[in-house]
C-alpha cells in the first residue's frame, strides 16, 4: 500500500532527537493511529510503550532490539517488530534517510 485514504492528520509534527526523527500522526477512519516519518543519519535509542511494527518505505537502517547483540539491516518493503515496554537502537548511515510507518498495538 503506497497511501492511506480517508485519514485525519495531526498537524503538529512529532520531533525527536533535535530533529533527527520527525513524524506525523495519522488517524485512520476506524480510529487506528500510526505515525509516518523519517529518521535522518544518526544513531538513536527509542523506548516503546505499546508493541510496534516499523515498516520501511524508503532508505535503510540497522536495528538492535533490547537484549540482542547483533544488528540487523532493514530497508524499503521490510518490517521489524518491537515488543511493548522495551527499546531498540536504530542507526541510519550518512547520506541515507530511513522513511517509515509505525504501526502501534
Amino acid at each position: 500500500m503506497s497511501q492511506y485514504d480517508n485519514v485525519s492528520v495531526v498537524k503538529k509534527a512529532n520531533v525527536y532527537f533535535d530533529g533527527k526523527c520527525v513524524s506525523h500522526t495519522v488517524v485512520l477512519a476506524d480510529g487506528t493511529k500510526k505515525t509516518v516519518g523519517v529518521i535522518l543519519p544518526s544513531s538513536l535509542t527509542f523506548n516503546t510503550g505499546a508493541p510496534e511494527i516499523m515498516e520501511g518505505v524508503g532508505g535503510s537502517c540497522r536495528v538492535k532490539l533490547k537484549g540482542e547483540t547483533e544488528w540487523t539491516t532493514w530497508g524499503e518493503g521490510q518490517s521489524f517488530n518491537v515488543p511493548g515496554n522495551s527499546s531498540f537502537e536504530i542507526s541510519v548511515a550518512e547520506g541515507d534517510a530511513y522513511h517509515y510507518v509505525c504501526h502501534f498495538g
Side-chain angles (χ1 to χ4, degrees):
M1 173 185 311
S2 63
Q3 72 179 37
Y4 293 108
D5 295 321
N6 303 316
V7 300
S8 298
V9 176
V10 176
K11 292 193 289 185
K12 187 172 182 177
N14 307 302
V15 180
Y16 304 101
F17 303 104
D18 297 322
K20 292 180 177 80
C21 177
V22 179
S23 68
H24 282 275
T25 301
V26 296
V27 183
L28 280 60
D30 66 1
T32 303
K33 291 183 182 180
K34 301 182 183 298
T35 57
V36 177
V38 63
I39 299 174
L40 300 176
S42 56
S43 292
L44 310 171
T45 300
F46 286 91
N47 296 307
T48 62
E52 299 179 3
I53 299 171
M54 293 287 287
E55 174 191 358
V57 295
S60 65
C61 66
R62 293 181 333 120
V63 173
K64 184 168 60 167
L65 299 175
K66 182 178 181 177
E68 293 186 354
T69 57
E70 299 292 322
W71 288 86
T72 304
T73 300
W74 301 97
E76 183 175 341
Q78 298 178 309
S79 299
F80 61 93
N81 296 310
V82 183
N85 300 313
S86 187
S87 64
F88 65 99
E89 296 176 59
I90 187 165
S91 180
V92 177
E94 278 303 316
D96 202 358
Y98 179 65
H99 301 258
Y100 68 89
V101 176
C102 181
H103 308 267
F104 298 99

